Amino acid sequence: MPKIATYQYRIILFDGVCNLCNSSVQFVIKHDANNKFKFAALQSEYAKNILAAHQINAEKLSSLVLIEDQKIYTESTGALRIAKNLGLPTSLLYVFIIIPPFIRNAVYKYIARNRYKWFGKKEE
C-alpha cells in the first residue's frame, strides 16, 4: 500500500452515482458511533486531488477507496476494514480477511461490475 498524507479521520471515497455505494455510505454513517469516517464521492474534486497527489489512477478504481493510517485500501480489503470499525455485529465481517485477497476481490469485482444493473445509478 502506498504511504499517503496523514488525515485526522478515515476517509471513504465512493462512487457517488452508484445506488449501492450511496446506501452503503448511509449504513456506515448510521453505524459509525464514534464518527471515525468522512466521505467524498470519487467524482468530487477533493477525491480527484487526493488520488492525483498519490499517483493513483481514479479510472482504475472499482468503487471504493479507504484512506486509513497513511495507507490506501481498495476493493474487499477496504470494505472489510470499514466493517471492522463499525462495532458489533458488523465488525464480525472482518473475519473474512483470512480469505486470500484474490478470492475476496473476485467476489468484490463481480458485485462492482454488476452494481448498476442490480441497484441502479443516479444521473449525477
Side-chain angles (χ1 to χ4, degrees):
M1 310 288 157
K3 286 276 189 178
I4 62 167
T6 302
Y7 300 96
Q8 180 179 2
Y9 298 96
R10 294 166 177 90
I11 300 170
I12 298 173
L13 305 178
F14 65 99
D15 181 350
V17 299
C18 167
N19 287 336
L20 173 63
C21 303
N22 280 288
S23 295
S24 298
V25 165
Q26 292 306 311
F27 180 88
V28 171
I29 290 169
K30 183 178 178 180
H31 293 89
D32 182 17
N34 296 318
N35 296 318
K36 295 177 183 179
F37 294 101
K38 297 296 179 190
F39 307 88
L42 281 167
Q43 295 84 356
S44 70
E45 286 303 312
Y46 178 78
K48 289 176 186 173
N49 290 338
I50 287 176
L51 296 172
H54 301 292
Q55 294 90 33
I56 296 171
N57 184 351
E59 303 295 318
K60 293 187 177 185
L61 298 173
S62 62
S63 77
L64 176 128
V65 176
L66 171 64
I67 302 170
E68 176 184 44
D69 298 330
Q70 299 184 31
K71 294 181 182 162
I72 292 178
Y73 301 95
T74 60
E75 298 177 337
S76 65
T77 303
L80 290 172
R81 290 186 71 85
I82 292 167
K84 174 183 171 183
N85 285 283
L86 293 181
L88 291 171
T90 307
S91 61
L92 296 175
L93 292 171
Y94 193 70
V95 72
F96 291 110
I97 203 77
I98 66 171
I99 297 173
F102 76 92
I103 295 172
R104 286 187 281 116
N105 288 337
V107 173
Y108 181 93
K109 288 175 185 177
Y110 177 75
I111 294 168
R113 263 193 318 275
N114 291 288
R115 69 187 185 273
Y116 296 143
K117 180 170 50 171
W118 296 340
F119 302 97
K121 70 185 223 180
K122 300 176 186 308
E123 292 302 314
E124 51 182 64

